[in-house]
Amino acid sequence: MQKDPLFLVVAVVMMAVVGILLFGIGSFAKGGAFNKKYANKAMRWRIIAQFVAVVLILLFVLIRRG
């Protein structure tokens, strides 16, 4: 399974979600002007990345089930 290209894409997207989440948490922790400037953008990026990850996971399951 680890050599499957779709599995690798799913793994990369999930790592991107984690990276964006950590960036958002870091911006909340830093606070101030940086937080005001990037907090909403980071959470939007995270939601979009999570949506893409869920769609790819469902696609992976549907393709591999058949």
Side-chain angles (χ1 to χ4, degrees), residues 1-41:
M1 179 184 338
Q2 295 168 342
K3 293 184 180 184
D4 187 359
L6 186 55
F7 177 79
L8 295 176
V9 170
V10 169
V12 168
V13 171
M14 290 188 326
M15 292 303 293
V17 171
V18 171
I20 294 168
L21 179 62
L22 291 176
F23 173 78
I25 291 171
S27 72
F28 288 141
K30 187 170 184 174
F34 184 82
N35 183 36
K36 288 181 182 179
K37 185 174 182 180
Y38 292 109
N40 286 333
K41 288 182 182 181

Side-chain angles (χ1 to χ4, degrees), residues 17-63:
V17 171
V18 171
I20 294 168
L21 179 62
L22 291 176
F23 173 78
I25 291 171
S27 72
F28 288 141
K30 187 170 184 174
F34 184 82
N35 183 36
K36 288 181 182 179
K37 185 174 182 180
Y38 292 109
N40 286 333
K41 288 182 182 181
M43 291 305 108
R44 279 190 219 127
W45 294 339
R46 182 186 55 86
I47 290 169
I48 291 168
Q50 279 182 303
F51 175 76
V52 171
V54 168
V55 168
L56 287 174
I57 290 168
L58 291 174
L59 181 66
F60 178 79
V61 169
L62 288 173
I63 289 173

